[in-house]
């Protein structure tokens, strides 16, 4: 494939331009995932808070239940105590006394459980307050990060448009076949299509080239590729003389 020294020099500049474009495109492509991850982080904090609130609510309901049960039990004890005055036989008196004792024991258990629940509610309330404060702080930080990422993405998109315009200008006049070959090698070789030859070594893949490759490149006029990585080779002199 024929190529002039000027066109080869253009490819070297084009490669630098494409590196800039690749970096911008990678950053733009990464942004949505990073934003999504931050949103998931905020959602996880929200879920943790909702769960803490739910636990507290359930305990508060249980506490109300126990308090009602306790009130019922106390009412029963009060009734039994009145009934005690009306019993006629010792047997009935003992039976009622046993029932009162049972009610008192149950009331005692209900009181203990109510106290336990109240303590647990207190600690959950503290936990909920701490989580709410943490969420508020985390949300602010996360939102700031998201705004930063979104702003940077917009900036990168604007920069990318400018850099793509520069690329369009760079490829003007390049033979179609040369450009297609360059694009193909770039796609296959991790975005790097050209490689400087240093002595007889390809500076990208570090493989030494046979003498014929070195000779062909020195002669100019044709596209010479690295025998190992297939990248388009250019000489050190060309690199030094590359247009700005
Ligand atoms: Zn190579």
């Amino acid at each position: 494939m024929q190529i002039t020294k000027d066109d080869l020099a253009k490819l070297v500049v084009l490669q630098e331009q494409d590196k800039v474009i690749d970096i911008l495109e990678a950053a733009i492509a990464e942004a949505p995932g990073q934003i999504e991850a931050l949103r998931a982080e905020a959602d996880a904090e929200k879920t943790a808070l909702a769960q803490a609130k739910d636990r507290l609510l359930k305990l508060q309901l249980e506490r109300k239940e126990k308090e009602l049960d306790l009130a019922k039990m106390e009412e029963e004890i009060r009734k039994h105590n009145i009934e005690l005055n009306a019993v006629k036989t010792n047997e009935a008196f003992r039976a009622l006394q046993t029932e009162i004792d049972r009610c008192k024991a149950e009331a005692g258990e209900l009181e203990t459980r109510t106290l336990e629940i109240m303590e647990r509610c207190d600690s959950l309330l503290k936990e909920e307050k701490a989580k709410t404060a943490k969420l508020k702080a985390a949300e602010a930080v996360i939102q700031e990060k998201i705004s930063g990422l979104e702003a940077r993405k917009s900036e990168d998109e604007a920069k990318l448009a400018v850099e793509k315009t520069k690329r369009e200008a760079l490829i003007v006049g390049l033979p179609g076949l040369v450009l297609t070959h360059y694009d193909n090698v770039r796609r296959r070789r991790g975005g790097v299509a050209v490689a400087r030859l240093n002595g007889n070594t390809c500076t990208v893949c570090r493989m030494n080239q046979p003498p014929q490759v070195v000779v062909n490149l020195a002669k100019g006029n044709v596209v010479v590729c690295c025998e190992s990585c297939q990248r388009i080779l250019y000489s050190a002199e060309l690199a030094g003389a590359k247009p700005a």
Side-chain angles (χ1 to χ4, degrees), residues 76-171:
E76 213 165 307
I77 292 167
R78 200 184 59 83
K79 272 190 210 158
H80 287 330
N81 275 325
I82 293 167
E83 282 162 16
L84 270 185
N85 299 323
V87 291
K88 303 277 187 282
T89 66
N90 280 342
E91 225 170 65
F93 185 88
R94 272 197 300 276
L96 200 50
Q97 192 60 59
T98 306
E99 178 60 11
I100 289 171
D101 288 346
R102 190 192 63 78
C103 288
K104 278 183 177 167
E106 204 171 312
E109 271 169 36
L110 282 168
E111 267 173 34
T112 309
R113 179 66 190 139
T114 306
L115 279 174
E116 276 170 12
I117 292 173
M118 280 165 78
E119 274 171 24
R120 186 84 188 101
C121 279
D122 279 350
S123 89
L124 274 178
L125 203 61
K126 275 182 200 146
E127 199 184 307
E128 192 199 308
K129 271 186 188 160
K131 278 200 162 78
T132 305
K134 196 181 158 211
L135 176 66
K136 230 179 154 186
E139 269 184 332
V141 171
I142 288 171
Q143 193 44 55
E144 204 182 308
K145 282 186 190 168
I146 289 175
S147 302
L149 282 171
E150 281 168 345
R152 205 186 66 194
K153 185 168 173 268
S154 299
E155 275 170 35
D156 284 348
E157 279 164 349
K159 279 186 202 162
L160 181 63
V162 172
E163 298 301 334
K164 279 191 166 169
T165 308
K166 283 191 201 166
R167 186 187 204 270
E168 291 304 312
L170 281 174
I171 61 174

Side-chain angles (χ1 to χ4, degrees), residues 189 194-197 201-209 225-233:
R189 295 286 158 188
V194 299
R196 184 166 56 79
L197 190 70
T201 309
C202 167
T203 53
V204 176
C205 74
R206 304 273 160 205
M207 293 300 286
N208 289 336
Q209 306 297 309
C225 295
C226 167
E227 299 244 310
S228 171
C229 72
Q230 313 305 321
R231 290 189 175 91
I232 301 163
L233 290 171

Side-chain angles (χ1 to χ4, degrees), residues 65-76 110:
E65 248 171 52
K66 295 288 179 238
E67 280 169 351
L68 282 176
D69 287 350
L70 184 59
K72 268 188 218 157
M73 204 46 74
E74 277 164 353
E75 175 60 16
E76 213 165 307
L110 282 168

